[in-house]
Amino acid sequence: MFMAALDRRVRERGSDPAVITDGRLVTLSELAADFRSLAMWLERQGLGVGDPVAITIKDEYRHLLATLALLRIGARQITLPSYESAEYRQAIAARVGAAAVLVEDERHKLSTLPALTPDFASFATSIERAPADHEADAAIYFITSGTTGRPKITSLTESQLHQQARAWQHPLRKEVFFRPSSMEFNNAKRQRLYSLSIGSVNVFKDHGETEIAGVCRRFGVTRLALSGAQAHGLLEREADRSIALPATTHVRLGGGLIGEKLRRDIMRWISPNLHVVYATSEFGSISTAPPAINAVDQKTIGTIHPGIALQVVDDQDEILPLGRSGHIRVRGTGMASRYVDDPEASAKAFRGDWFYPGDIGHLSEDGRLYFEGRSDDMMNFASINIFPAEIESAFAAMPGVKECAAFSLRSENFGELPMLAVVGNNMASPDELLKHGKRLLGLRAPRRVFVIDEIPRNSAGKIARRDLSEFARRTMEKDRR
Amino acid sequence: MTVPAHDLQRVAEVISKAITTCSLQSAMVADTSTLSLDKLLSLSFDELGFDSLNFMEFCIALHLDLGLELSIGEVASLRTLGAVADRVLTRSPAR
């Protein structure tokens, strides 16, 4: 469905702009020529319907071409970000049974997988062919953090991707879309595909470009998608210069943890056109607080999108009255149905026809949704969800480590910084533990390791992570003196 | 620079360590530990091959080592390590 809709638009509106990359405008026809050529090349390499293929490509446009080419031939795909360690990429590739990895840089090859290095510069011509019929198959895998200590892998079909795209932008409208994050990030990749699917133009940041506002002005961006950290950064720079975004640029900010002050600052300094969106990888967009709501209520994450059922329930799955806090659950057409290779996590999150994102919140009488926190200990670091178990399992088996506990330290700019407390004898030094974490966990690695005598626990035996955060804050403060 | 040399030395050490900490596979980050103070502080982020992830790790390292939170945008606009040192020293609480 996703590719069929794209093919139809290429036929009907091929001269429409699709992508702006390195200042160059690429039309839908040119984009199609490029990815179809790459698709043919991939088929000549022996890849086809159902083959799981990994992508490690930093360049935005090339990553998009690889994504579309793999969708075109019906292969399954997963992004293995270049910033992750080889061990991590190998482990994820093994879990989806990847047959090959597409790379543009020799350094990103994996010893366990055949690498394919397309000559992107040669893809300029194409032959029209009907796409294969493979819409019911898994198309794209997305990696998220896992409660069980392993990353969760969500699987979306083309059809689910297409449906998520239609719910993503509400109301549906063509935009000049700019997301200043690498396509190697789960959210950024999905949003690029969503925007392409609904006929918007994707703007890619030039190499070395750091001026978000400059890009918006230069290319007439109408929809700017930011993380909380990016919003903070933009605020500091733009507020200094008293320069706002163009009046036609709307800002989309994701996540339930967007505070009231940040919203007010964005509306005051950057743009009054602020849309706060609640979304998940498994489901897509769930609710939006548009500018009119943000102007009067900076706490809500908005009203539920049409076609989506959302309920707030208690621990026994009984529906709670309006105003009462409980577990949020959602149901809709574009949602995933399970996690790959993880029955435990699947059983917890997908029950009946519902998806349970693990969030706590309530609905007001006028239909607004309010996010109140997580039902678990998940951290949100730079828009990446991290469960403590994922960090702890990477260290638990190390020689000398008796016990460990992951926790977070609040950061104004990046949310919650992952940290680790370790108890043990004759174990590696904190520096060596940090390196080990970086190698295995990449961006999710703890940024500091604290060796302590005992992991603090509450009366129920649960790790007292807040106590650890406070301990870490005080220890670092003391070290700085 | 108009700051006491010993403060600058300390901040430079933290910055040098932060550069090492934030190096990622994709970055062309040089070994800064052997550089003189002047040479280190004259380095620009372009020369270091910083991308957005390097900037993020650099900001986090400064936060944890100095207790000072700078945003990516703020650090990127400073262009050189010397300018970052200046900013750190002017924003750090008096010691």
Side-chain angles (χ1 to χ4, degrees), chain A residues 58 82-86 89 107-108 180 185 205 208 210-211 229 232-234 236-237 240-241 381-382 409-414 417 419 438 443 447-448 476 479-481, chain B residues 10 17 20-28 46 50-53 55-57 59-74 76-77 79 87 91 95:
Chain A
K58 270 186 88 174
S82 58
Y83 53 79
E84 300 286 10
S85 68
R89 284 182 278 133
R107 291 177 301 171
H108 298 141
F185 285 99
K205 195 161 67 167
T210 55
E211 281 275 6
H232 276 295
L234 188 60
E236 290 209 23
R237 303 188 76 183
D240 282 350
R241 301 172 190 186
F381 164 59
L409 192 77
R410 187 77 201 155
S411 155
E412 187 68 29
N413 293 312
F414 305 110
L417 305 179
M419 304 275 157
K438 199 169 176 180
L443 277 182
R447 297 316 196 264
R448 283 285 187 280
M476 287 191 295
D479 289 347
R480 285 184 213 119
R481 285 191 205 121
Chain B
R10 178 175 173 270
K17 186 178 155 209
T20 310
T21 306
C22 74
S23 70
L24 296 169
Q25 192 184 353
S26 57
M28 300 177 289
D46 283 347
F50 260 41
D51 62 17
S52 56
L53 290 178
F55 276 116
M56 181 177 81
E57 296 296 342
C59 292
I60 291 170
L62 293 184
H63 172 194
L64 297 180
D65 280 331
L66 298 169
L68 187 65
E69 293 211 52
L70 299 175
S71 71
I72 291 177
E74 190 174 4
S77 68
R79 309 282 181 201
R87 178 63 61 96
R91 280 187 55 178
R95 287 184 299 116

Coordinates of all heavy atoms in Angstrom, one line a residue, chain A residues 58 82-86 89 107-108 180 185 205 208 210-211 229 232-234 236-237 240-241 381-382 409-414 417 419 438 443 447-448 476 479-481, chain B residues 10 17 20-28 46 50-53 55-57 59-74 76-77 79 87 91 95:
Chain A
K58 N 24.8 6.5 6.7 CA 24.6 7.8 7.3 C 23.9 8.9 6.4 O 23.2 9.7 6.9 CB 25.9 8.4 7.8 CG 26.3 7.9 9.2 CD 27.6 8.6 9.6 CE 27.3 9.9 10.3 NZ 28.5 10.6 10.9
S82 N 25.0 3.7 12.4 CA 26.5 3.7 12.3 C 27.1 4.1 13.6 O 28.2 3.8 13.9 CB 26.9 4.7 11.2 OG 26.4 6.0 11.5
Y83 N 26.3 4.8 14.5 CA 26.9 5.2 15.8 C 26.8 4.1 16.8 O 27.4 4.3 17.9 CB 26.1 6.5 16.3 CG 24.6 6.4 16.4 CD1 24.0 5.7 17.4 CD2 23.8 6.9 15.4 CE1 22.7 5.6 17.5 CE2 22.4 6.8 15.4 CZ 21.9 6.1 16.5 OH 20.5 6.0 16.6
E84 N 26.2 3.0 16.5 CA 26.2 1.9 17.4 C 27.4 1.0 17.2 O 28.0 1.0 16.2 CB 24.9 1.0 17.2 CG 23.6 1.8 17.4 CD 23.3 2.0 18.9 OE1 24.1 1.9 19.8 OE2 22.1 2.5 19.2
S85 N 27.8 0.3 18.3 CA 29.0 -0.6 18.2 C 28.7 -1.8 17.2 O 27.6 -2.1 17.0 CB 29.3 -1.1 19.6 OG 28.3 -2.0 20.0
A86 N 29.8 -2.3 16.8 CA 29.7 -3.5 15.9 C 29.0 -4.7 16.6 O 28.2 -5.4 16.0 CB 31.1 -3.9 15.4
R89 N 25.3 -4.0 16.6 CA 24.7 -4.2 15.3 C 24.6 -5.7 14.9 O 23.7 -6.1 14.3 CB 25.5 -3.4 14.2 CG 25.2 -1.9 14.3 CD 26.0 -1.0 13.3 NE 27.3 -0.8 13.7 CZ 28.4 -0.9 13.0 NH1 28.3 -1.3 11.8 NH2 29.6 -0.6 13.5
R107 N 34.0 1.0 7.0 CA 34.2 0.8 8.4 C 32.9 0.2 9.0 O 32.9 -0.3 10.2 CB 34.5 2.1 9.1 CG 35.8 2.7 8.8 CD 36.0 4.0 9.4 NE 35.0 5.0 9.0 CZ 34.9 6.2 9.5 NH1 35.6 6.6 10.5 NH2 34.0 7.0 9.0
H108 N 31.8 0.2 8.3 CA 30.5 -0.2 8.9 C 30.2 -1.7 8.5 O 29.1 -2.1 8.8 CB 29.4 0.7 8.5 CG 29.6 2.1 9.0 ND1 29.3 3.2 8.3 CD2 30.1 2.6 10.2 CE1 29.6 4.3 9.0 NE2 30.1 3.9 10.2
P180 N 15.6 17.7 11.8 CA 17.1 17.8 11.8 C 17.7 16.7 12.7 O 18.5 17.0 13.5 CB 17.3 19.2 12.5 CG 16.0 19.5 13.2 CD 14.9 18.7 12.6
F185 N 17.9 7.3 13.1 CA 17.1 7.3 14.3 C 15.7 6.8 13.9 O 15.1 7.2 12.9 CB 17.0 8.6 14.9 CG 18.2 9.1 15.7 CD1 19.1 9.9 15.1 CD2 18.5 8.6 17.0 CE1 20.3 10.3 15.8 CE2 19.6 9.0 17.6 CZ 20.5 9.8 17.1
K205 N 19.1 18.2 6.0 CA 20.1 19.2 6.4 C 21.4 19.0 5.6 O 21.9 17.9 5.5 CB 20.4 19.0 7.9 CG 21.1 20.2 8.5 CD 20.9 20.3 10.0 CE 21.6 19.1 10.7 NZ 21.7 19.4 12.2
G208 N 27.3 19.6 7.7 CA 27.9 20.6 8.5 C 26.9 21.7 8.9 O 27.3 22.7 9.6
T210 N 24.3 23.7 10.9 CA 23.8 23.6 12.3 C 22.7 24.5 12.5 O 22.0 24.5 13.5 CB 25.0 23.9 13.3 OG1 25.5 25.2 12.9 CG2 26.0 22.9 13.2
E211 N 22.4 25.4 11.6 CA 21.4 26.4 11.7 C 20.0 25.9 11.4 O 19.6 25.9 10.2 CB 21.7 27.6 10.9 CG 22.8 28.5 11.4 CD 22.2 29.5 12.4 OE1 21.0 29.4 12.7 OE2 22.9 30.4 12.9
A229 N 15.5 18.2 23.2 CA 16.8 18.7 23.3 C 17.1 19.7 22.2 O 17.7 20.8 22.4 CB 17.8 17.5 23.1
H232 N 15.4 23.0 23.0 CA 16.2 23.8 24.0 C 17.4 24.5 23.3 O 17.6 25.7 23.5 CB 16.8 22.8 25.0 CG 15.8 22.6 26.2 ND1 15.4 23.5 27.0 CD2 15.2 21.4 26.5 CE1 14.6 23.0 27.9 NE2 14.5 21.7 27.6
G233 N 18.1 23.7 22.4 CA 19.2 24.3 21.7 C 18.8 25.5 20.8 O 19.4 26.5 20.8
L234 N 17.7 25.3 20.1 CA 17.2 26.3 19.2 C 16.8 27.5 20.0 O 17.1 28.7 19.6 CB 16.0 25.7 18.4 CG 15.4 26.6 17.3 CD1 16.5 26.8 16.2 CD2 14.2 25.9 16.7
E236 N 17.9 28.7 22.8 CA 19.1 29.5 23.3 C 19.6 30.3 22.2 O 19.9 31.5 22.3 CB 20.2 28.6 23.8 CG 19.7 27.9 25.1 CD 20.9 27.6 26.0 OE1 22.0 28.3 25.8 OE2 20.8 26.7 26.8
R237 N 19.7 29.7 21.0 CA 20.3 30.5 19.9 C 19.4 31.6 19.4 O 19.7 32.7 19.1 CB 20.7 29.6 18.7 CG 21.6 28.5 19.2 CD 22.1 27.7 18.0 NE 23.1 28.5 17.3 CZ 23.7 28.0 16.1 NH1 23.3 26.9 15.6 NH2 24.6 28.8 15.5
D240 N 18.6 34.5 21.8 CA 19.7 35.4 21.8 C 19.5 36.5 20.7 O 19.9 37.6 20.9 CB 21.0 34.7 21.6 CG 21.4 34.0 22.9 OD1 20.8 34.3 23.9 OD2 22.4 33.2 22.9
R241 N 19.1 36.1 19.6 CA 19.1 37.0 18.4 C 17.7 37.6 18.2 O 17.5 38.3 17.2 CB 19.4 36.2 17.2 CG 20.8 35.6 17.3 CD 21.0 34.7 16.1 NE 22.3 33.9 16.3 CZ 22.8 33.1 15.4 NH1 22.2 33.0 14.2 NH2 23.9 32.5 15.6
F381 N 16.1 9.5 27.1 CA 17.3 10.3 27.0 C 17.4 10.7 25.5 O 17.4 9.9 24.6 CB 18.5 9.3 27.3 CG 19.8 9.8 26.8 CD1 20.3 11.1 27.1 CD2 20.6 9.1 25.9 CE1 21.6 11.5 26.6 CE2 21.8 9.5 25.4 CZ 22.3 10.7 25.8
A382 N 17.4 12.0 25.3 CA 17.5 12.6 23.9 C 16.5 11.9 23.0 O 16.9 11.5 21.9 CB 18.9 12.4 23.4
L409 N 20.0 10.7 35.5 CA 20.3 12.0 36.1 C 19.7 13.0 35.2 O 19.9 13.0 34.0 CB 21.8 12.2 36.2 CG 22.3 13.4 37.0 CD1 22.2 13.0 38.5 CD2 23.7 13.8 36.7
R410 N 18.9 13.9 35.8 CA 18.2 14.9 35.0 C 19.1 15.9 34.3 O 20.0 16.4 34.9 CB 17.2 15.6 35.9 CG 16.3 16.6 35.2 CD 15.1 15.8 34.6 NE 14.5 16.7 33.6 CZ 13.8 16.2 32.6 NH1 13.7 14.9 32.4 NH2 13.3 17.0 31.7
S411 N 18.8 16.1 33.0 CA 19.6 17.0 32.2 C 18.6 18.0 31.6 O 17.6 17.5 31.0 CB 20.4 16.3 31.1 OG 20.6 17.2 30.0
E412 N 18.9 19.3 31.7 CA 18.0 20.3 31.1 C 17.8 20.1 29.6 O 16.8 20.2 29.0 CB 18.6 21.7 31.4 CG 17.7 22.8 31.0 CD 16.4 22.9 31.9 OE1 16.5 22.5 33.0 OE2 15.4 23.4 31.3
N413 N 18.9 19.7 28.9 CA 19.0 19.7 27.5 C 18.6 18.3 26.9 O 18.2 18.2 25.8 CB 20.3 20.1 26.9 CG 20.6 21.5 27.2 OD1 19.8 22.4 26.9 ND2 21.8 21.8 27.8
F414 N 19.0 17.2 27.6 CA 18.9 15.9 27.0 C 17.9 15.0 27.7 O 17.9 13.8 27.5 CB 20.3 15.3 26.9 CG 21.2 16.1 26.1 CD1 22.3 16.7 26.8 CD2 21.1 16.4 24.8 CE1 23.2 17.6 26.1 CE2 21.9 17.2 24.1 CZ 23.0 17.8 24.8
L417 N 19.9 11.4 31.7 CA 21.2 10.8 31.3 C 21.3 9.4 32.0 O 21.1 9.3 33.2 CB 22.3 11.7 31.8 CG 22.3 13.1 31.3 CD1 23.6 13.9 31.9 CD2 22.3 13.2 29.8
M419 N 22.9 6.3 33.8 CA 24.0 6.2 34.8 C 23.9 4.7 35.3 O 22.9 4.1 35.2 CB 23.8 7.1 36.0 CG 23.7 8.6 35.7 SD 25.3 9.3 35.5 CE 24.9 10.7 34.5
K438 N 29.8 1.4 26.3 CA 29.8 2.2 25.0 C 29.8 1.2 23.9 O 29.1 1.3 22.9 CB 30.9 3.1 25.0 CG 30.8 4.2 24.0 CD 31.9 5.3 24.2 CE 31.9 6.4 23.2 NZ 32.9 7.3 23.4
L443 N 24.6 4.6 22.2 CA 24.0 5.8 22.8 C 23.3 5.5 24.1 O 23.1 6.4 24.9 CB 23.0 6.4 21.8 CG 23.5 7.3 20.7 CD1 22.3 7.8 19.9 CD2 24.3 8.4 21.3
R447 N 26.6 7.1 31.2 CA 27.7 8.2 31.0 C 28.6 8.3 32.3 O 29.6 8.9 32.2 CB 27.1 9.5 30.7 CG 26.3 9.6 29.4 CD 27.0 8.9 28.3 NE 26.4 9.2 27.0 CZ 25.5 8.5 26.3 NH1 25.1 7.4 26.8 NH2 25.1 8.9 25.1
R448 N 28.2 7.7 33.4 CA 29.0 7.6 34.5 C 28.8 6.2 35.2 O 27.6 5.8 35.2 CB 28.7 8.7 35.6 CG 29.3 10.0 35.2 CD 30.8 10.1 35.4 NE 31.4 11.4 35.2 CZ 31.6 12.0 34.0 NH1 31.4 11.3 32.9 NH2 32.1 13.2 33.9
M476 N 29.1 13.8 42.4 CA 29.7 14.6 41.3 C 30.0 16.0 41.8 O 31.0 16.6 41.4 CB 28.9 14.5 40.0 CG 29.0 13.2 39.4 SD 28.3 13.2 37.7 CE 26.6 13.4 38.1
D479 N 33.0 16.0 43.8 CA 34.2 15.8 43.0 C 34.7 17.0 42.3 O 35.8 17.2 42.0 CB 34.0 14.7 42.0 CG 33.9 13.3 42.6 OD1 34.2 13.2 43.8 OD2 33.4 12.4 41.9
R480 N 33.7 17.9 42.0 CA 34.1 19.1 41.3 C 34.8 20.1 42.2 O 35.4 21.1 41.7 CB 32.8 19.8 40.7 CG 32.3 19.0 39.5 CD 31.1 19.8 38.9 NE 30.1 18.8 38.4 CZ 28.9 18.6 38.8 NH1 28.4 19.3 39.7 NH2 28.1 17.7 38.2
R481 N 34.6 20.0 43.5 CA 35.1 21.0 44.4 C 36.7 20.9 44.5 O 37.2 19.9 44.3 CB 34.5 20.9 45.8 CG 33.1 21.4 45.8 CD 32.6 21.5 47.3 NE 31.2 21.4 47.3 CZ 30.5 20.5 48.0 NH1 31.1 19.6 48.6 NH2 29.2 20.5 48.0
Chain B
R10 N 42.5 24.1 34.1 CA 41.6 23.0 34.6 C 40.5 22.8 33.6 O 40.1 21.7 33.3 CB 41.0 23.4 36.0 CG 40.0 22.4 36.5 CD 39.5 22.8 37.9 NE 38.4 21.9 38.2 CZ 37.2 22.1 38.0 NH1 36.8 23.2 37.4 NH2 36.2 21.3 38.4
K17 N 39.4 16.0 28.0 CA 38.8 14.7 28.4 C 37.4 14.6 27.8 O 37.1 13.5 27.3 CB 38.6 14.7 30.0 CG 38.1 13.4 30.5 CD 38.1 13.5 32.1 CE 37.0 12.5 32.6 NZ 36.4 12.9 33.8
T20 N 37.8 13.4 24.3 CA 38.1 11.9 24.2 C 36.8 11.1 24.5 O 36.5 10.2 23.8 CB 39.1 11.5 25.3 OG1 40.2 12.4 25.2 CG2 39.6 10.1 25.1
T21 N 36.0 11.6 25.5 CA 34.8 10.9 25.9 C 33.8 10.9 24.8 O 33.1 9.9 24.5 CB 34.1 11.6 27.1 OG1 35.1 11.7 28.1 CG2 32.9 10.9 27.6
C22 N 33.7 12.0 24.0 CA 32.6 12.1 23.1 C 33.0 11.5 21.7 O 32.2 11.5 20.8 CB 32.1 13.5 22.9 SG 33.3 14.5 22.0
S23 N 34.2 11.0 21.6 CA 34.6 10.5 20.2 C 33.8 9.3 19.9 O 33.6 8.4 20.7 CB 36.1 10.2 20.2 OG 36.3 9.0 21.0
L24 N 33.3 9.3 18.7 CA 32.4 8.2 18.2 C 33.1 7.6 17.0 O 34.0 8.2 16.4 CB 31.0 8.7 17.9 CG 30.2 9.2 19.1 CD1 29.0 9.9 18.6 CD2 29.9 8.1 20.0
Q25 N 32.7 6.4 16.6 CA 33.3 5.8 15.5 C 33.3 6.6 14.2 O 34.3 6.6 13.5 CB 32.5 4.5 15.2 CG 33.2 3.6 14.3 CD 32.3 2.4 13.9 OE1 31.2 2.2 14.5 NE2 32.7 1.6 13.0
S26 N 32.3 7.4 14.1 CA 32.2 8.2 12.8 C 33.0 9.5 12.8 O 33.1 10.1 11.8 CB 30.7 8.5 12.6 OG 30.2 9.2 13.7
A27 N 33.5 9.9 14.0 CA 34.1 11.2 14.0 C 35.6 11.1 13.8 O 36.3 10.1 14.0 CB 33.9 11.8 15.4
M28 N 36.1 12.2 13.2 CA 37.6 12.3 13.0 C 38.2 13.0 14.1 O 38.9 14.1 14.0 CB 37.8 13.1 11.7 CG 37.2 12.4 10.5 SD 37.4 13.4 9.0 CE 36.4 14.8 9.3
D46 N 34.9 22.1 13.5 CA 35.1 21.6 12.1 C 36.3 20.8 12.0 O 36.3 19.7 11.4 CB 35.2 22.8 11.1 CG 33.8 23.4 10.9 OD1 32.8 22.8 11.3 OD2 33.7 24.5 10.4
F50 N 33.3 17.2 14.2 CA 32.1 17.0 15.1 C 30.8 16.9 14.3 O 30.6 17.7 13.4 CB 32.0 18.2 16.0 CG 32.6 17.9 17.4 CD1 33.7 17.2 17.5 CD2 31.9 18.3 18.6 CE1 34.3 16.9 18.8 CE2 32.4 18.0 19.8 CZ 33.6 17.3 19.9
D51 N 30.0 15.9 14.6 CA 28.7 15.9 14.1 C 27.7 16.1 15.3 O 28.2 16.3 16.4 CB 28.3 14.6 13.3 CG 28.5 13.3 14.2 OD1 28.5 13.4 15.4 OD2 28.6 12.2 13.6
S52 N 26.4 16.0 15.1 CA 25.5 16.3 16.2 C 25.7 15.4 17.4 O 25.5 15.8 18.5 CB 24.1 16.3 15.7 OG 23.8 15.0 15.1
L53 N 26.0 14.1 17.1 CA 26.2 13.2 18.3 C 27.4 13.6 19.1 O 27.4 13.5 20.3 CB 26.3 11.8 17.8 CG 25.0 11.2 17.2 CD1 25.2 9.8 16.7 CD2 23.9 11.2 18.3
F55 N 28.6 16.6 19.4 CA 28.2 17.8 20.2 C 27.5 17.4 21.4 O 27.7 17.9 22.5 CB 27.4 18.7 19.3 CG 28.2 19.6 18.5 CD1 28.1 19.6 17.1 CD2 29.0 20.6 19.1 CE1 28.9 20.5 16.3 CE2 29.8 21.4 18.3 CZ 29.7 21.4 16.9
M56 N 26.5 16.4 21.3 CA 25.7 16.0 22.4 C 26.6 15.4 23.5 O 26.5 15.8 24.7 CB 24.7 15.0 22.0 CG 23.8 14.5 23.1 SD 22.5 13.4 22.6 CE 23.5 11.8 22.5
E57 N 27.5 14.5 23.1 CA 28.4 13.9 24.1 C 29.3 14.9 24.8 O 29.6 14.8 26.0 CB 29.2 12.7 23.5 CG 28.4 11.6 22.9 CD 27.6 10.8 24.0 OE1 28.0 11.0 25.2 OE2 26.6 10.1 23.7
C59 N 28.6 18.1 25.3 CA 27.8 18.8 26.2 C 27.6 18.0 27.5 O 27.6 18.6 28.6 CB 26.5 19.2 25.6 SG 26.6 20.4 24.3
I60 N 27.3 16.7 27.3 CA 27.0 15.9 28.5 C 28.3 15.8 29.4 O 28.2 15.9 30.6 CB 26.6 14.5 28.1 CG1 25.2 14.6 27.4 CG2 26.6 13.5 29.2 CD1 24.7 13.3 26.8
A61 N 29.5 15.6 28.7 CA 30.7 15.5 29.5 C 31.0 16.8 30.3 O 31.4 16.8 31.4 CB 31.9 15.2 28.5
L62 N 30.7 18.0 29.6 CA 30.9 19.3 30.3 C 29.9 19.4 31.5 O 30.3 19.8 32.6 CB 30.7 20.4 29.4 CG 31.7 20.6 28.3 CD1 31.3 21.9 27.5 CD2 33.1 20.7 28.8
H63 N 28.7 18.9 31.3 CA 27.7 19.0 32.3 C 28.1 18.1 33.5 O 28.1 18.6 34.7 CB 26.4 18.4 31.8 CG 25.3 18.2 32.8 ND1 24.1 17.5 32.6 CD2 25.2 18.6 34.1 CE1 23.4 17.5 33.6 NE2 24.0 18.2 34.6
L64 N 28.6 16.9 33.3 CA 28.9 16.0 34.4 C 30.2 16.4 35.1 O 30.3 16.3 36.3 CB 29.0 14.5 33.9 CG 27.7 14.0 33.3 CD1 27.9 12.5 32.8 CD2 26.6 14.0 34.3
D65 N 31.2 16.9 34.3 CA 32.5 17.3 34.9 C 32.5 18.6 35.6 O 33.2 18.9 36.5 CB 33.6 17.2 33.9 CG 34.0 15.8 33.6 OD1 33.9 15.0 34.6 OD2 34.5 15.5 32.5
L66 N 31.7 19.6 35.0 CA 31.7 20.9 35.5 C 30.4 21.4 36.1 O 30.4 22.5 36.7 CB 32.1 21.9 34.3 CG 33.4 21.7 33.7 CD1 33.5 22.5 32.4 CD2 34.5 22.1 34.6
G67 N 29.4 20.6 36.0 CA 28.1 21.0 36.5 C 27.5 22.1 35.7 O 26.6 22.8 36.2
L68 N 27.9 22.3 34.5 CA 27.4 23.4 33.7 C 26.7 22.9 32.5 O 27.3 22.2 31.7 CB 28.6 24.3 33.3 CG 28.3 25.6 32.6 CD1 27.5 26.5 33.5 CD2 29.5 26.2 32.1
E69 N 25.4 23.2 32.3 CA 24.7 22.7 31.2 C 24.7 23.7 30.0 O 24.2 24.8 30.2 CB 23.2 22.4 31.6 CG 23.1 21.3 32.6 CD 21.8 20.5 32.5 OE1 21.5 20.1 31.4 OE2 21.2 20.4 33.5
L70 N 25.3 23.3 28.9 CA 25.3 24.1 27.7 C 24.5 23.3 26.7 O 24.6 22.1 26.6 CB 26.7 24.4 27.2 CG 27.6 25.2 28.1 CD1 29.0 25.3 27.6 CD2 27.1 26.6 28.4
S71 N 23.8 24.0 25.8 CA 23.0 23.3 24.8 C 23.9 23.0 23.6 O 25.0 23.7 23.4 CB 21.8 24.1 24.4 OG 22.2 25.2 23.6
I72 N 23.5 22.1 22.7 CA 24.3 21.8 21.5 C 24.4 23.1 20.6 O 25.4 23.5 20.1 CB 23.6 20.7 20.7 CG1 23.7 19.4 21.4 CG2 24.2 20.6 19.3 CD1 23.0 18.2 20.7
G73 N 23.3 23.8 20.5 CA 23.2 25.0 19.7 C 24.2 26.1 20.2 O 24.9 26.7 19.5
E74 N 24.3 26.2 21.5 CA 25.2 27.2 22.1 C 26.6 26.8 21.9 O 27.4 27.7 21.5 CB 24.9 27.3 23.6 CG 25.6 28.4 24.3 CD 25.2 28.6 25.8 OE1 24.4 27.7 26.3 OE2 25.6 29.5 26.4
A76 N 27.8 24.8 19.6 CA 28.2 24.8 18.1 C 28.4 26.2 17.6 O 29.3 26.4 16.8 CB 27.0 24.1 17.3
S77 N 27.7 27.2 18.2 CA 27.8 28.5 17.7 C 29.2 29.1 18.2 O 29.6 30.2 17.7 CB 26.7 29.4 18.2 OG 26.7 29.5 19.6
R79 N 32.1 27.7 18.0 CA 33.1 27.3 16.9 C 34.4 26.7 17.4 O 34.8 25.7 16.9 CB 33.4 28.5 16.1 CG 32.2 29.3 15.5 CD 31.6 28.6 14.3 NE 30.5 29.3 13.8 CZ 29.6 28.8 13.1 NH1 29.6 27.5 12.7 NH2 28.6 29.5 12.6
R87 N 33.4 30.6 27.6 CA 32.0 30.6 28.0 C 31.9 29.8 29.4 O 31.2 30.2 30.3 CB 31.2 29.9 27.0 CG 29.7 29.7 27.3 CD 29.0 31.1 27.5 NE 29.0 31.8 26.3 CZ 28.1 31.9 25.4 NH1 27.0 31.2 25.6 NH2 28.2 32.6 24.3
R91 N 30.6 31.5 32.9 CA 29.3 31.1 33.5 C 29.5 30.2 34.7 O 28.6 29.9 35.4 CB 28.6 30.3 32.4 CG 27.8 31.2 31.4 CD 26.9 30.4 30.5 NE 25.9 29.6 31.2 CZ 25.0 28.9 30.5 NH1 25.0 29.0 29.2 NH2 24.2 28.1 31.2
R95 N 34.9 30.3 42.2 CA 35.5 29.3 43.1 C 36.6 29.9 44.0 O 37.2 30.8 43.6 CB 36.1 28.1 42.2 CG 35.0 27.3 41.6 CD 35.6 26.1 40.8 NE 36.5 26.6 39.7 CZ 37.8 26.4 39.7 NH1 38.3 25.7 40.7 NH2 38.5 26.8 38.7

